Amino acid sequence: MAALLVETCHVACCANRTPNVVSWGRGGIVAYGTCNSVALYHPLKRRVISTLNGHSGRVNCVQWVHKKDCGPESELVSGGSDNLVLLWEEQDGKFSKSGQLGGHTGAVCAVDAVYQDTEAAYQLLVASAASDSTVKIWTRQGSEIQCVQTISFGNGFVMDVSLALLPGSSVPVLACGGDDCKVHIFIQQSGQFQEVLSLHGHEDWIRGLEWTVHGGDVFLASCAQDCLIRIWRVFAKPAFSPESLEEDTIKLKEDFFMVKTKDCCTSFAVTLETVLAGHENLVYGVHWQPPFLKDGIIQQPMCLLSASMDKTMILWSPDEESGVWLEQVRVGEVGGNTLGFYGCQMSPDGSMILAHAFHGALHLWCQDPSKEDEWCPTVVISGHFNSVQDLGWDPEGEFIVSVSSDQTTRLFAPWRRADQNQVTWHEISRPQIHGYDMQCFAMVGRFQFVSGADEKVLRVFSAPRNFVENFSNISGLPLEKLLACSEGADLPEGASIPALGLSNKAVFQSDRSAQTPEDDGQFSSVSAQYSESYFQPVVLTEPPPEDHLLQNTLWPEVQKLYGHGYEMFCVASNRAKTVVASACKASKPEHAAILLWSTSSWKQLHSLSLHSLTVTQMAFSPDSRFLLAVSRDRTWSLWSQKDETLSDTEPCFTLYAHTDKNTSVHSRIIWSCDWSPDSTYFITGSRDKKVIIWGNCDSSENAAENDEVAIRPRSSVLDVGEAATAVSFAPVLSPDQSYILAVGLEGGKIILFKWKPSGDTSAGTDWLHCGELDTFQCHALAIKRLCWRPRVGRAGHGDDSGNSAWIQLASAGADHCVKIFNVNRLAL
């Protein structure tokens, strides 16, 4: 697709729940696995610059292939649950798959790679460990890749592998650590790796290993579930001298191994340099500070970073005077319901450290330039860690709210900085953290939404004052205008979840002032020791870090809507925000009814019964006259609102048109539907790969009261090649007055079409294929929802005037990603 047509504005995604899944390259790019893709994130630009789609299973490990001169890497290796190891190579600024290493019979859980010397028989050496209890060694010469060795560990599992070259001899050395609590050292001799040592000491599974070269020695850091970190030193042993035996000195125990090269035979010794104890829970990751080039010499700082399940990262380095390894810096998160850190990485210059947590969140700390021992949390990307089920724009198109199977509702908005032209998107609030998987969502006001989860209840949330103020600071929108939209000055400050509750409870200014403990520190009762609310209002001028999102950005729940018999499946609201329609999972007609609710009283208005199975999606027409529903029973129904002269009566809907088994063109479940911006036509997309536009809904052939109108297909049947899971009409027409449509497919593709009503639909010339998103823009799994911004222009850019060339499309995918694309409507 031409670069002018679609550009990726934002990708929200987080790291997978595995230890070795993040790698920070010398070029400053963080590569991490997110669902089945590898995301490349630029911490300084604060955006994902590319996503690499190639795996068909979860990506478990990612590793940059470091160059010897410490320059920016051009190659990346990743392993996944599809039992494959993939090589990625950069060419002309874009990454593409350069090799596929297949041979493992279990999920690949660790990879590492090193470049060989130029005189070696092959250039690249790759080691991969998998849950099939083997470590495989791969070599690449030119474009030819082959597996040269398989090392079996019997019934054991290897959790991590690390490769390095022994100094002075350039012989590859491999370290493997696993569930036998030993570190196995392998040396390559005559093309094959042979085990020369196994290092004992850890008392639980080994989780992380990493080599580094310092001077003439090689250091290996290992961490384990015994909460300890061990550093081992490997050094060349001078020739044997009898004097060394005579001296009655106490020495550390040394293990020896011999390395044969073409010229000579060298003896190496391994000693335990130190044991680092400071973590209080399982240690999952260790990482050496990257080496750097200074005056043509590679400098390796003796500085080690570790990450643990105790929610902390520690920076260790030896004391300058005594040489004893000490804890220099400890950072971490406090509060929240999260588990600890799965891994850690360090920026090339050592000024930033990164951890990824159990729930996929990245935590980034930056060193204060004026005070070297102070580290501050800084802005970093965040996203859902499970399938994103639904999303929508607010009525003004200033932010996006998404819901996911990770049991959270998240709000993303553009961050406008006064000193920069660049606008980046960030998660600025997490209105709902639930105990059930979220399923559906609809905005019912500028700062109010209704959401449904895998429970029988709909919940209504309203923004607190603290959010409106912070949203104004971050987005640059005037606060007075926003407060006018959020109905009244009696807004609560924020919200918190009671200790044993699922409902976000509003916190008012008076509640917080009554919470302060008595001056003498004595509590009147046991329960008084525990705060009722952990909400603390914070004035934000930049997007908040993860621990703040977890605790201080909830929205109060204002209403629960009861009436459905099974788990919620879809919800919709009309443009006037006066009516909400909801539907639940159903296998019988009595449960497949659509319930209508009034947003003023939150009372149930009607129950619309017609469908026999789950209603999969609903949409109100832009003029609020019609409600369209599509169902698992392969039919759609159209309900019209009666024109009531009395304004104080609640809206009433009656059946206007529907299809049955004979008239429905679709032969499989209808997944999605949407309305044209003029309320004339609607579109349906189905698992049978067909997309059809129906109409004409504003024609003068309106039948008499209670008679149904014949709504017919107005387009030719468009076959999109695979199941169409999401469809959406753009809010504006293209310059040639055609409708602009986006179709999302089960495989993750998004295709853009133009459609113009024509008399003859048999020829199929009414559809114009405008292009589709390229492999690195589209999703890796099914598209769950597509939603165009309700107005022209790009949010946060101030180009909302009607003559802007750009319109924005948001997409939610089963690959855990929320993506926003800028589409140039003039280039279509």
Side-chain angles (χ1 to χ4, degrees), residues 36 54-60 78-86 97 100-108:
N36 297 358
H55 285 281
S56 58
R58 183 181 74 174
V59 175
N60 297 325
S78 64
S81 294
D82 53 2
N83 308 351
L84 295 177
V85 177
L86 298 185
K97 190 164 80 171
Q100 180 170 309
L101 288 56
H104 281 293
T105 56
V108 179

Side-chain angles (χ1 to χ4, degrees), residues 287-479:
H287 180 65
W288 292 99
Q289 182 173 337
F292 57 90
L293 209 57
K294 188 177 180 183
D295 305 329
I297 301 166
I298 292 174
Q299 307 279 339
Q300 171 63 58
M302 285 311 277
C303 185
L304 183 71
L305 181 66
S306 63
S308 162
M309 274 289 161
D310 63 7
K311 298 192 195 180
T312 65
M313 279 201 298
I314 299 179
L315 215 49
W316 311 83
S317 62
D319 182 56
E320 287 180 10
E321 291 178 7
S322 65
V324 175
W325 282 76
L326 299 172
E327 173 185 320
Q328 305 295 334
V329 178
R330 182 188 289 250
V331 296
E333 63 160 345
V334 179
N337 59 347
T338 58
L339 288 160
F341 295 147
Y342 254 147
C344 53
Q345 291 288 302
M346 206 170 196
S347 64
D349 62 356
S351 67
M352 291 191 279
I353 53 178
L354 178 82
H356 72 283
F358 182 78
H359 285 320
L362 295 175
H363 297 257
L364 183 64
W365 282 270
C366 198
Q367 191 174 22
D368 191 327
S370 55
K371 305 170 192 161
E372 288 201 356
D373 55 346
E374 279 197 19
W375 294 73
C376 306
T378 187
V379 178
V380 72
I381 191 171
S382 66
H384 292 286
F385 57 89
N386 211 331
S387 170
V388 187
Q389 298 296 95
D390 201 356
L391 58 64
W393 294 82
D394 78 294
E396 296 295 317
E398 299 292 355
F399 60 81
I400 280 175
V401 180
S402 60
V403 297
S404 160
S405 303
D406 67 5
Q407 307 187 348
T408 64
T409 302
R410 301 181 190 227
L411 190 149
F412 299 92
W415 179 24
R416 291 185 71 173
R417 279 153 282 182
D419 57 335
Q420 289 185 17
N421 298 330
Q422 192 190 14
V423 174
T424 53
W425 282 74
H426 300 272
E427 183 184 350
I428 65 164
S429 177
R430 204 165 294 173
Q432 186 182 7
I433 300 173
H434 205 34
Y436 293 97
D437 291 4
M438 301 303 301
Q439 191 64 43
C440 54
F441 148 91
M443 292 298 297
V444 288
R446 182 77 197 269
F447 294 115
Q448 195 174 49
F449 70 84
V450 56
S451 68
D454 279 345
E455 55 176 346
K456 303 172 187 179
V457 189
L458 280 167
R459 296 171 188 263
V460 186
F461 295 86
S462 201
R465 186 183 186 89
N466 191 236
F467 167 77
V468 181
E469 291 167 353
N470 289 333
F471 175 59
S472 167
N473 294 342
I474 291 167
S475 64
L477 298 168
L479 180 61

